[in-house]
Amino acid sequence: SVPFLVRLFPNLLTKFVFLNFLAFPFFVDLRQPELLVNNTISLYLTTEPGVTVGIWHTVPGSRGAEARGKDQHWYEEALADAHPVIIYLHGNGGTR
């Protein structure tokens, strides 16, 4: 019966393969990463109309003291300076 259900409902298969509807760890607000990871802020990029991607910007430990207590504007300016940026793409399942 499982192959029959997969044939009828292909979206069901993608949900169970990628499990992107689960948020782990449970009961954690990922919109506030500063509670989980030091020197981190949550930002959102609009890649095309109707598509918004959530990102975390984490500054290196060497700039940790400088970043402490700063607002979103400071983090956006830190992205524009001469320091290199490393982009980590975690894959298509899970959460940030």
Side-chain angles (χ1 to χ4, degrees):
S1 66
V2 172
F4 181 71
L5 289 174
V6 169
R7 179 76 172 134
L8 285 178
F9 307 104
N11 291 336
L12 186 68
L13 179 64
T14 60
K15 293 286 185 195
F16 284 108
V17 169
F18 299 117
L19 298 176
N20 57 0
F21 59 90
L22 290 179
F24 186 80
F26 304 112
F27 308 112
V28 173
D29 185 9
L30 297 174
R31 293 170 295 180
Q32 296 181 332
E34 60 275 6
L35 301 176
L36 302 169
V37 182
N38 292 333
N39 312 323
T40 303
I41 191 168
S42 184
L43 301 172
Y44 295 92
L45 300 175
T46 302
T47 58
E48 60 186 54
V51 178
T52 302
V53 178
I55 63 168
W56 282 1
H57 176 216
T58 303
V59 296
S62 61
R63 296 185 72 185
E66 182 184 356
R68 195 165 292 122
K70 301 294 184 179
D71 61 352
Q72 181 176 342
H73 181 70
W74 184 88
Y75 281 87
E76 289 173 356
E77 286 182 354
L79 283 172
D81 64 11
H83 293 88
V85 175
I86 297 172
I87 299 174
Y88 171 71
L89 304 171
H90 63 79
N92 58 356
T95 61
R96 286 184 272 169

Coordinates of all heavy atoms in Angstrom, one line a residue:
S1 N 0.8 -1.2 0.0 CA 0.0 0.0 0.0 C 0.9 1.3 0.0 O 0.4 2.3 -0.5 CB -1.0 0.0 1.2 OG -0.2 0.1 2.4
V2 N 2.1 1.2 0.5 CA 3.0 2.4 0.5 C 3.3 2.9 -0.9 O 3.2 4.1 -1.1 CB 4.2 2.1 1.4 CG1 5.2 3.2 1.3 CG2 3.9 1.8 2.8
P3 N 3.7 2.0 -1.8 CA 4.0 2.5 -3.2 C 2.7 3.1 -3.8 O 2.8 4.1 -4.5 CB 4.4 1.3 -3.9 CG 4.9 0.4 -2.9 CD 4.1 0.6 -1.7
F4 N 1.6 2.6 -3.5 CA 0.3 3.1 -4.1 C 0.1 4.5 -3.5 O -0.3 5.5 -4.3 CB -0.8 2.2 -3.7 CG -2.1 2.7 -4.3 CD1 -2.4 2.7 -5.6 CD2 -3.1 3.2 -3.4 CE1 -3.6 3.1 -6.1 CE2 -4.3 3.6 -3.9 CZ -4.6 3.6 -5.3
L5 N 0.3 4.7 -2.2 CA 0.1 6.0 -1.6 C 1.1 7.1 -2.1 O 0.8 8.2 -2.3 CB 0.2 5.9 -0.1 CG -1.0 5.2 0.6 CD1 -0.7 5.1 2.1 CD2 -2.2 6.0 0.4
V6 N 2.4 6.6 -2.3 CA 3.4 7.5 -2.9 C 3.0 7.9 -4.3 O 3.2 9.1 -4.6 CB 4.8 6.8 -2.8 CG1 5.8 7.6 -3.6 CG2 5.2 6.7 -1.4
R7 N 2.5 7.0 -5.0 CA 2.1 7.3 -6.4 C 0.9 8.3 -6.4 O 0.9 9.2 -7.2 CB 1.7 6.0 -7.1 CG 1.2 6.2 -8.5 CD 2.4 6.5 -9.4 NE 1.9 6.5 -10.8 CZ 2.3 7.4 -11.7 NH1 3.1 8.3 -11.4 NH2 1.8 7.3 -12.9
L8 N 0.0 8.2 -5.5 CA -1.1 9.1 -5.4 C -0.7 10.5 -4.8 O -1.3 11.5 -5.2 CB -2.2 8.5 -4.5 CG -3.1 7.4 -5.2 CD1 -4.1 6.9 -4.1 CD2 -3.8 7.9 -6.4
F9 N 0.2 10.5 -3.9 CA 0.6 11.7 -3.2 C 2.1 11.9 -3.2 O 2.8 11.6 -2.2 CB 0.1 11.7 -1.7 CG -1.4 11.4 -1.6 CD1 -1.8 10.1 -1.2 CD2 -2.3 12.3 -1.9 CE1 -3.2 9.8 -1.0 CE2 -3.7 12.1 -1.7 CZ -4.1 10.8 -1.3
P10 N 2.7 12.3 -4.3 CA 4.1 12.5 -4.4 C 4.7 13.5 -3.4 O 5.8 13.4 -2.9 CB 4.4 12.9 -5.8 CG 3.1 13.4 -6.3 CD 2.0 12.7 -5.5
N11 N 3.9 14.5 -3.0 CA 4.3 15.5 -2.1 C 4.6 14.9 -0.7 O 5.4 15.3 0.1 CB 3.3 16.7 -1.9 CG 3.3 17.5 -3.2 OD1 4.3 17.5 -3.9 ND2 2.2 18.2 -3.4
L12 N 3.8 13.9 -0.4 CA 4.0 13.1 0.9 C 5.4 12.5 1.0 O 6.0 12.6 2.0 CB 2.9 12.1 1.0 CG 2.9 11.3 2.3 CD1 2.4 12.2 3.4 CD2 1.9 10.1 2.2
L13 N 5.9 12.0 -0.1 CA 7.2 11.4 -0.1 C 8.3 12.5 0.1 O 9.2 12.3 0.9 CB 7.5 10.7 -1.5 CG 8.9 10.1 -1.7 CD1 9.1 9.0 -0.6 CD2 9.1 9.6 -3.1
T14 N 8.2 13.6 -0.5 CA 9.2 14.7 -0.3 C 9.2 15.2 1.1 O 10.2 15.5 1.7 CB 9.0 15.8 -1.3 OG1 7.7 16.4 -1.1 CG2 9.2 15.4 -2.7
K15 N 8.0 15.2 1.7 CA 8.0 15.7 3.1 C 8.7 14.7 4.1 O 9.4 15.1 5.0 CB 6.5 15.8 3.6 CG 5.8 16.9 2.9 CD 6.2 18.2 3.5 CE 5.3 19.3 2.9 NZ 5.9 20.6 3.1
F16 N 8.6 13.4 3.8 CA 9.2 12.4 4.7 C 10.7 12.2 4.4 O 11.4 11.7 5.2 CB 8.4 11.1 4.7 CG 7.1 11.2 5.5 CD1 5.9 11.2 4.8 CD2 7.2 11.3 6.8 CE1 4.7 11.3 5.6 CE2 6.0 11.4 7.6 CZ 4.8 11.4 7.0
V17 N 11.1 12.5 3.1 CA 12.5 12.3 2.8 C 13.3 13.5 3.4 O 14.3 13.3 4.0 CB 12.7 12.2 1.3 CG1 14.1 12.4 0.9 CG2 12.1 10.9 0.7
F18 N 12.8 14.7 3.2 CA 13.6 15.8 3.7 C 13.3 16.3 5.1 O 14.1 17.0 5.7 CB 13.4 17.0 2.7 CG 13.9 16.7 1.3 CD1 13.0 16.6 0.2 CD2 15.2 16.3 1.1 CE1 13.5 16.3 -1.0 CE2 15.7 16.0 -0.2 CZ 14.8 16.0 -1.2
L19 N 12.1 16.0 5.6 CA 11.6 16.4 6.9 C 11.8 17.9 7.2 O 12.2 18.3 8.3 CB 12.4 15.6 8.0 CG 12.2 14.0 7.9 CD1 13.0 13.4 8.9 CD2 10.7 13.7 8.2
N20 N 11.6 18.7 6.2 CA 11.8 20.1 6.4 C 10.7 20.8 7.2 O 10.7 22.0 7.4 CB 11.9 20.8 5.0 CG 10.8 20.6 4.1 OD1 9.8 19.9 4.4 ND2 10.8 21.2 2.9
F21 N 9.7 20.0 7.6 CA 8.6 20.6 8.5 C 9.0 20.5 9.9 O 8.3 21.1 10.8 CB 7.3 19.9 8.2 CG 7.3 18.4 8.4 CD1 7.0 17.9 9.6 CD2 7.6 17.6 7.4 CE1 7.0 16.5 9.8 CE2 7.6 16.2 7.6 CZ 7.3 15.7 8.8
L22 N 10.1 19.8 10.3 CA 10.5 19.6 11.6 C 11.5 20.8 12.0 O 12.4 21.1 11.2 CB 11.2 18.3 11.9 CG 10.4 17.1 11.8 CD1 11.2 15.8 12.0 CD2 9.3 17.1 12.9
A23 N 11.3 21.3 13.2 CA 12.2 22.3 13.7 C 13.0 21.8 14.9 O 12.4 21.5 15.9 CB 11.5 23.6 14.1
F24 N 14.3 21.5 14.7 CA 15.0 20.9 15.8 C 16.2 21.9 16.1 O 16.8 22.4 15.2 CB 15.6 19.6 15.3 CG 16.3 18.8 16.5 CD1 15.6 18.2 17.4 CD2 17.7 18.9 16.6 CE1 16.2 17.5 18.4 CE2 18.3 18.2 17.6 CZ 17.6 17.5 18.5
P25 N 16.5 22.1 17.3 CA 15.9 21.6 18.6 C 14.5 22.2 18.8 O 14.2 23.3 18.4 CB 16.8 22.0 19.7 CG 17.6 23.2 19.1 CD 17.6 23.0 17.6
F26 N 13.6 21.4 19.4 CA 12.3 21.8 19.6 C 12.1 22.9 20.6 O 13.0 23.1 21.5 CB 11.5 20.6 20.2 CG 11.6 19.3 19.3 CD1 12.2 18.2 19.7 CD2 11.0 19.4 18.0 CE1 12.3 17.1 18.9 CE2 11.1 18.3 17.2 CZ 11.7 17.1 17.6
F27 N 11.1 23.7 20.4 CA 10.8 24.8 21.3 C 11.9 25.9 21.4 O 12.1 26.5 22.4 CB 10.4 24.3 22.7 CG 9.4 23.3 22.7 CD1 9.7 22.0 23.1 CD2 8.1 23.5 22.3 CE1 8.8 21.0 23.1 CE2 7.2 22.5 22.3 CZ 7.5 21.2 22.7
V28 N 12.6 26.1 20.3 CA 13.6 27.1 20.2 C 13.2 28.1 19.2 O 12.8 27.7 18.1 CB 15.0 26.5 19.9 CG1 16.0 27.6 19.7 CG2 15.4 25.6 21.0
D29 N 13.3 29.4 19.5 CA 12.9 30.5 18.5 C 14.2 30.8 17.7 O 15.1 31.5 18.2 CB 12.4 31.7 19.2 CG 11.9 32.8 18.3 OD1 11.8 32.5 17.1 OD2 11.6 33.9 18.8
L30 N 14.3 30.3 16.5 CA 15.4 30.5 15.7 C 15.5 31.9 15.1 O 16.5 32.2 14.4 CB 15.5 29.4 14.5 CG 15.6 28.0 15.1 CD1 15.5 27.0 13.9 CD2 16.9 27.8 15.8
R31 N 14.5 32.7 15.3 CA 14.6 34.1 14.9 C 15.4 34.9 15.8 O 15.8 36.1 15.5 CB 13.2 34.7 14.8 CG 12.4 34.0 13.6 CD 11.0 34.5 13.7 NE 10.4 33.9 14.9 CZ 9.2 34.1 15.4 NH1 8.3 34.8 14.6 NH2 8.8 33.5 16.5
Q32 N 15.8 34.3 17.0 CA 16.7 35.0 17.9 C 17.9 34.2 18.2 O 18.1 33.6 19.2 CB 15.9 35.3 19.2 CG 14.7 36.2 19.1 CD 14.0 36.4 20.4 OE1 14.1 35.5 21.3 NE2 13.4 37.5 20.6
P33 N 18.8 34.1 17.2 CA 20.0 33.3 17.3 C 21.0 33.8 18.4 O 21.8 33.0 18.9 CB 20.7 33.4 16.0 CG 20.3 34.7 15.4 CD 18.9 34.9 16.0
E34 N 20.9 35.0 18.8 CA 21.8 35.5 19.9 C 21.6 34.8 21.2 O 22.5 34.8 22.0 CB 21.6 37.0 20.0 CG 20.3 37.5 20.5 CD 19.3 37.7 19.3 OE1 19.6 37.4 18.2 OE2 18.2 38.2 19.6
L35 N 20.4 34.2 21.4 CA 20.2 33.4 22.6 C 20.9 32.0 22.5 O 21.1 31.4 23.5 CB 18.7 33.2 22.8 CG 17.9 34.4 22.9 CD1 16.4 34.1 23.0 CD2 18.3 35.2 24.1
L36 N 21.3 31.6 21.3 CA 21.9 30.3 21.1 C 23.4 30.4 20.8 O 24.2 29.6 21.2 CB 21.2 29.5 19.9 CG 19.7 29.3 20.1 CD1 19.1 28.8 18.8 CD2 19.5 28.3 21.2
V37 N 23.8 31.4 19.9 CA 25.1 31.5 19.4 C 25.6 32.9 19.7 O 24.9 33.9 19.3 CB 25.2 31.2 17.9 CG1 26.6 31.2 17.4 CG2 24.6 29.8 17.6
N38 N 26.8 33.1 20.2 CA 27.3 34.4 20.5 C 27.6 35.2 19.2 O 28.0 34.5 18.2 CB 28.6 34.3 21.3 CG 28.3 33.9 22.7 OD1 27.3 34.1 23.2 ND2 29.3 33.2 23.3
N39 N 27.5 36.5 19.2 CA 27.8 37.4 18.1 C 27.1 37.0 16.8 O 27.7 37.0 15.7 CB 29.3 37.3 17.8 CG 30.1 37.5 19.1 OD1 29.8 38.2 20.0 ND2 31.2 36.8 19.2
T40 N 25.8 36.7 16.9 CA 25.0 36.3 15.7 C 23.7 37.1 15.7 O 23.1 37.4 16.7 CB 24.7 34.8 15.8 OG1 25.9 34.1 15.9 CG2 23.9 34.3 14.6
I41 N 23.3 37.4 14.5 CA 22.0 38.1 14.3 C 21.3 37.4 13.1 O 21.9 36.9 12.2 CB 22.2 39.6 14.0 CG1 20.9 40.3 14.1 CG2 22.9 39.8 12.7 CD1 21.1 41.8 14.2
S42 N 20.0 37.5 13.2 CA 19.1 36.9 12.1 C 18.8 38.0 11.1 O 18.3 39.0 11.5 CB 17.9 36.3 12.7 OG 17.1 35.7 11.7
L43 N 19.0 37.7 9.8 CA 18.7 38.6 8.7 C 17.9 37.9 7.7 O 17.8 36.7 7.7 CB 20.0 39.2 8.1 CG 21.0 39.9 8.9 CD1 22.2 40.2 8.2 CD2 20.4 41.2 9.4
Y44 N 17.2 38.6 6.8 CA 16.4 38.0 5.8 C 16.7 38.7 4.5 O 16.8 39.9 4.4 CB 14.9 38.2 6.1 CG 14.5 37.5 7.3 CD1 14.5 38.1 8.6 CD2 14.1 36.1 7.2 CE1 14.1 37.4 9.7 CE2 13.8 35.4 8.4 CZ 13.8 36.0 9.6 OH 13.4 35.3 10.7
L45 N 17.0 37.9 3.4 CA 17.3 38.4 2.1 C 16.1 38.0 1.2 O 15.6 36.9 1.2 CB 18.5 37.7 1.6 CG 19.8 37.9 2.3 CD1 20.9 37.1 1.7 CD2 20.2 39.4 2.4
T46 N 15.7 39.0 0.3 CA 14.7 38.7 -0.7 C 15.4 38.4 -2.0 O 16.1 39.3 -2.6 CB 13.8 39.9 -0.9 OG1 13.1 40.2 0.4 CG2 12.7 39.6 -1.9
T47 N 15.4 37.1 -2.4 CA 16.2 36.7 -3.6 C 15.5 37.0 -4.9 O 16.1 37.3 -5.9 CB 16.5 35.2 -3.5 OG1 15.3 34.5 -3.4 CG2 17.4 34.9 -2.3
E48 N 14.2 36.9 -4.8 CA 13.3 37.2 -6.0 C 11.9 37.5 -5.4 O 11.7 37.2 -4.3 CB 13.3 36.1 -7.0 CG 12.8 34.8 -6.5 CD 12.9 33.7 -7.5 OE1 14.0 33.4 -8.0 OE2 11.9 33.0 -7.8
P49 N 11.0 38.1 -6.2 CA 9.7 38.4 -5.7 C 9.0 37.2 -5.1 O 8.9 36.1 -5.7 CB 8.9 39.0 -6.9 CG 10.0 39.5 -7.8 CD 11.2 38.6 -7.6
G50 N 8.6 37.3 -3.8 CA 7.9 36.2 -3.2 C 8.8 35.2 -2.5 O 8.3 34.2 -1.9
V51 N 10.1 35.3 -2.6 CA 11.0 34.4 -2.0 C 12.0 35.1 -1.0 O 12.7 35.9 -1.4 CB 11.9 33.6 -3.1 CG1 12.9 32.7 -2.4 CG2 11.0 32.9 -4.1
T52 N 11.8 34.7 0.2 CA 12.7 35.3 1.3 C 13.5 34.2 1.9 O 12.9 33.2 2.3 CB 11.8 36.0 2.3 OG1 11.0 37.0 1.7 CG2 12.7 36.7 3.4
V53 N 14.8 34.5 2.1 CA 15.7 33.5 2.7 C 16.2 34.0 4.0 O 16.7 35.2 4.1 CB 16.9 33.2 1.7 CG1 17.9 32.2 2.4 CG2 16.4 32.7 0.4
G54 N 16.0 33.2 5.1 CA 16.5 33.6 6.4 C 18.0 33.2 6.5 O 18.3 32.1 6.2
I55 N 18.8 34.1 7.0 CA 20.2 33.8 7.3 C 20.6 34.2 8.7 O 20.0 35.1 9.3 CB 21.1 34.5 6.2 CG1 21.0 36.0 6.4 CG2 20.8 34.1 4.8 CD1 22.1 36.8 5.6
W56 N 21.7 33.6 9.1 CA 22.3 34.1 10.4 C 23.7 34.7 10.0 O 24.4 34.1 9.2 CB 22.6 32.9 11.3 CG 21.4 32.5 12.1 CD1 20.1 33.0 12.0 CD2 21.3 31.4 13.0 NE1 19.3 32.3 12.8 CE2 20.0 31.3 13.5 CE3 22.3 30.6 13.5 CZ2 19.6 30.4 14.4 CZ3 21.9 29.6 14.5 CH2 20.6 29.6 14.9
H57 N 24.0 35.9 10.5 CA 25.3 36.5 10.3 C 26.0 36.4 11.6 O 25.6 36.9 12.6 CB 25.1 37.9 9.9 CG 26.4 38.6 9.7 ND1 26.6 39.9 10.0 CD2 27.7 38.2 9.3 CE1 27.9 40.3 9.8 NE2 28.5 39.2 9.4
T58 N 27.1 35.6 11.6 CA 28.0 35.4 12.8 C 29.3 36.0 12.5 O 30.0 35.7 11.5 CB 28.1 33.9 13.1 OG1 26.9 33.3 13.2 CG2 29.0 33.7 14.3
V59 N 29.7 36.9 13.4 CA 31.1 37.5 13.2 C 32.1 36.6 13.9 O 31.7 35.9 14.8 CB 31.1 39.0 13.8 CG1 30.2 39.9 13.0 CG2 30.8 39.0 15.2
P60 N 33.3 36.6 13.5 CA 34.3 35.8 14.1 C 34.6 36.2 15.5 O 34.3 37.3 16.0 CB 35.6 36.0 13.2 CG 35.4 37.2 12.5 CD 33.9 37.4 12.4
G61 N 35.2 35.2 16.3 CA 35.5 35.5 17.7 C 36.4 36.7 17.9 O 36.3 37.3 18.9
S62 N 37.3 36.9 16.9 CA 38.2 38.1 17.1 C 37.5 39.4 17.1 O 38.0 40.4 17.6 CB 39.2 38.1 16.0 OG 38.6 38.2 14.7
R63 N 36.3 39.5 16.6 CA 35.5 40.7 16.6 C 34.3 40.6 17.6 O 33.4 41.4 17.6 CB 34.9 41.0 15.2 CG 36.0 41.3 14.2 CD 35.4 41.7 12.9 NE 34.9 43.0 13.0 CZ 34.2 43.6 12.0 NH1 34.0 43.0 10.8 NH2 33.8 44.8 12.1
G64 N 34.3 39.5 18.4 CA 33.3 39.3 19.4 C 33.0 40.4 20.4 O 31.9 40.8 20.6
A65 N 34.1 40.9 20.9 CA 34.0 42.0 21.9 C 33.4 43.3 21.2 O 32.6 44.0 21.8 CB 35.3 42.3 22.5
E66 N 33.8 43.5 20.0 CA 33.3 44.7 19.3 C 31.8 44.5 18.9 O 31.0 45.5 18.9 CB 34.1 44.8 18.0 CG 33.7 46.0 17.1 CD 34.5 46.0 15.8 OE1 35.4 45.2 15.6 OE2 34.2 46.9 15.0
A67 N 31.4 43.3 18.7 CA 30.0 43.0 18.3 C 29.0 43.0 19.4 O 27.8 43.1 19.2 CB 29.9 41.7 17.5
R68 N 29.5 42.8 20.6 CA 28.6 42.6 21.8 C 27.7 43.9 22.0 O 28.2 45.0 22.1 CB 29.4 42.4 23.0 CG 28.6 41.9 24.2 CD 29.5 41.3 25.3 NE 30.2 40.1 24.8 CZ 31.5 39.9 24.8 NH1 32.3 40.9 25.2 NH2 32.0 38.8 24.3
G69 N 26.4 43.6 22.0 CA 25.4 44.7 22.2 C 25.1 45.6 21.0 O 24.4 46.5 21.1
K70 N 25.6 45.2 19.8 CA 25.4 46.0 18.6 C 24.0 45.6 18.0 O 23.5 44.5 18.2 CB 26.5 45.8 17.6 CG 27.9 46.2 18.1 CD 28.0 47.7 18.4 CE 29.4 48.0 18.8 NZ 29.6 49.3 19.0
D71 N 23.5 46.5 17.2 CA 22.2 46.3 16.5 C 22.4 45.8 15.1 O 23.5 45.5 14.7 CB 21.4 47.6 16.5 CG 22.1 48.7 15.7 OD1 23.2 48.5 15.3 OD2 21.4 49.7 15.5
Q72 N 21.3 45.6 14.4 CA 21.4 45.0 13.1 C 22.2 45.9 12.1 O 22.9 45.4 11.2 CB 19.9 44.8 12.5 CG 19.9 44.2 11.1 CD 18.5 44.0 10.7 OE1 17.5 43.9 11.5 NE2 18.3 43.8 9.4
H73 N 22.1 47.2 12.3 CA 22.8 48.1 11.4 C 24.3 47.8 11.4 O 25.0 47.8 10.4 CB 22.5 49.6 11.8 CG 23.2 50.6 10.9 ND1 22.9 50.8 9.6 CD2 24.2 51.4 11.2 CE1 23.6 51.7 9.1 NE2 24.5 52.1 10.0
W74 N 24.9 47.6 12.6 CA 26.3 47.3 12.8 C 26.7 46.0 12.0 O 27.7 46.0 11.4 CB 26.7 47.2 14.3 CG 28.1 47.0 14.5 CD1 29.1 47.9 14.6 CD2 28.8 45.7 14.5 NE1 30.3 47.4 14.7 CE2 30.2 46.0 14.7 CE3 28.4 44.4 14.4 CZ2 31.2 45.0 14.7 CZ3 29.4 43.4 14.5 CH2 30.7 43.7 14.7
Y75 N 25.8 45.0 12.1 CA 26.1 43.7 11.5 C 26.1 43.9 9.9 O 26.9 43.3 9.2 CB 25.1 42.6 11.9 CG 25.5 42.0 13.2 CD1 25.0 42.6 14.4 CD2 26.2 40.9 13.3 CE1 25.3 42.1 15.6 CE2 26.5 40.3 14.5 CZ 26.1 40.9 15.7 OH 26.4 40.4 16.9
E76 N 25.2 44.7 9.4 CA 25.1 44.9 8.0 C 26.3 45.7 7.5 O 26.8 45.4 6.4 CB 23.8 45.7 7.7 CG 22.5 44.9 7.8 CD 21.3 45.7 7.7 OE1 21.4 46.9 7.5 OE2 20.2 45.1 7.7
E77 N 26.8 46.6 8.3 CA 28.1 47.3 7.9 C 29.3 46.4 8.0 O 30.2 46.5 7.2 CB 28.3 48.5 8.9 CG 27.4 49.7 8.6 CD 27.7 50.9 9.4 OE1 28.5 50.8 10.4 OE2 27.0 51.9 9.2
A78 N 29.2 45.4 8.9 CA 30.3 44.5 9.0 C 30.4 43.6 7.8 O 31.5 43.1 7.4 CB 30.2 43.6 10.3
L79 N 29.3 43.3 7.2 CA 29.3 42.6 5.9 C 29.9 43.3 4.8 O 30.4 42.7 3.8 CB 27.8 42.2 5.5 CG 27.2 41.0 6.3 CD1 25.8 40.9 5.9 CD2 28.0 39.7 6.0
A80 N 29.9 44.7 4.8 CA 30.4 45.5 3.7 C 31.9 45.8 3.9 O 32.4 46.4 3.0 CB 29.6 46.8 3.6
D81 N 32.5 45.5 5.0 CA 33.9 45.8 5.1 C 34.8 44.9 4.3 O 34.4 44.0 3.6 CB 34.4 45.9 6.6 CG 34.3 44.6 7.3 OD1 34.1 43.5 6.6 OD2 34.4 44.6 8.5
A82 N 36.1 45.0 4.4 CA 37.1 44.3 3.6 C 37.3 42.9 4.0 O 38.1 42.1 3.4 CB 38.4 45.1 3.6
H83 N 36.8 42.4 5.1 CA 37.0 41.0 5.6 C 36.2 40.0 4.7 O 35.2 40.3 4.2 CB 36.5 40.9 7.1 CG 37.3 41.7 8.0 ND1 37.0 43.0 8.3 CD2 38.4 41.4 8.8 CE1 37.8 43.5 9.2 NE2 38.7 42.5 9.5
P84 N 36.8 38.8 4.6 CA 36.1 37.8 3.7 C 34.9 37.3 4.4 O 34.8 37.3 5.6 CB 37.2 36.7 3.6 CG 38.1 36.9 4.7 CD 38.1 38.4 5.1
V85 N 34.0 36.8 3.6 CA 32.7 36.3 4.1 C 32.7 34.8 3.7 O 32.9 34.4 2.5 CB 31.5 37.0 3.5 CG1 30.2 36.3 3.9 CG2 31.5 38.5 3.9
I86 N 32.3 33.9 4.6 CA 32.2 32.5 4.4 C 30.7 32.2 4.4 O 30.0 32.5 5.4 CB 33.0 31.7 5.4 CG1 34.4 32.0 5.3 CG2 32.7 30.2 5.2 CD1 35.3 31.4 6.4
I87 N 30.2 31.6 3.3 CA 28.8 31.2 3.3 C 28.7 29.7 3.5 O 29.3 28.9 2.7 CB 28.2 31.6 1.9 CG1 28.3 33.1 1.7 CG2 26.8 31.1 1.8 CD1 27.8 33.6 0.4
Y88 N 28.0 29.3 4.5 CA 27.8 27.9 4.8 C 26.4 27.5 4.4 O 25.4 28.0 5.0 CB 28.0 27.6 6.3 CG 27.7 26.2 6.7 CD1 28.4 25.1 6.3 CD2 26.6 26.0 7.5 CE1 28.1 23.8 6.7 CE2 26.2 24.7 7.9 CZ 27.0 23.6 7.5 OH 26.6 22.4 7.9
L89 N 26.2 26.6 3.5 CA 24.9 26.1 3.1 C 24.7 24.7 3.7 O 25.3 23.8 3.4 CB 24.8 26.0 1.5 CG 25.1 27.4 0.8 CD1 25.2 27.1 -0.7 CD2 24.1 28.4 1.2
H90 N 23.7 24.7 4.6 CA 23.5 23.4 5.4 C 22.8 22.3 4.7 O 22.7 21.2 5.2 CB 22.9 23.8 6.7 CG 21.5 24.3 6.6 ND1 20.4 23.5 6.3 CD2 21.0 25.6 6.6 CE1 19.3 24.3 6.2 NE2 19.7 25.5 6.4
G91 N 22.2 22.6 3.5 CA 21.5 21.6 2.8 C 20.0 21.9 2.8 O 19.6 23.0 3.1
N92 N 19.2 21.0 2.3 CA 17.8 21.2 2.1 C 16.9 20.7 3.2 O 15.7 20.9 3.1 CB 17.3 20.7 0.7 CG 17.6 19.2 0.7 OD1 18.1 18.6 1.6 ND2 17.2 18.6 -0.4
G93 N 17.4 20.2 4.2 CA 16.6 19.7 5.3 C 17.0 20.3 6.6 O 18.1 20.9 6.7
G94 N 16.2 20.3 7.6 CA 16.5 20.8 8.9 C 16.3 22.3 9.0 O 15.5 22.9 8.2
T95 N 16.9 22.9 9.9 CA 16.8 24.4 10.1 C 18.1 25.0 10.2 O 19.2 24.4 10.2 CB 16.0 24.6 11.4 OG1 16.8 24.1 12.5 CG2 14.7 24.0 11.4
R96 N 18.1 26.4 10.3 CA 19.4 27.1 10.4 C 20.1 26.7 11.7 O 21.2 26.9 11.9 CB 19.1 28.6 10.4 CG 18.8 29.1 9.1 CD 18.6 30.6 9.1 NE 17.3 30.8 9.5 CZ 16.8 32.0 9.8 NH1 17.6 33.0 9.9 NH2 15.6 32.2 10.1

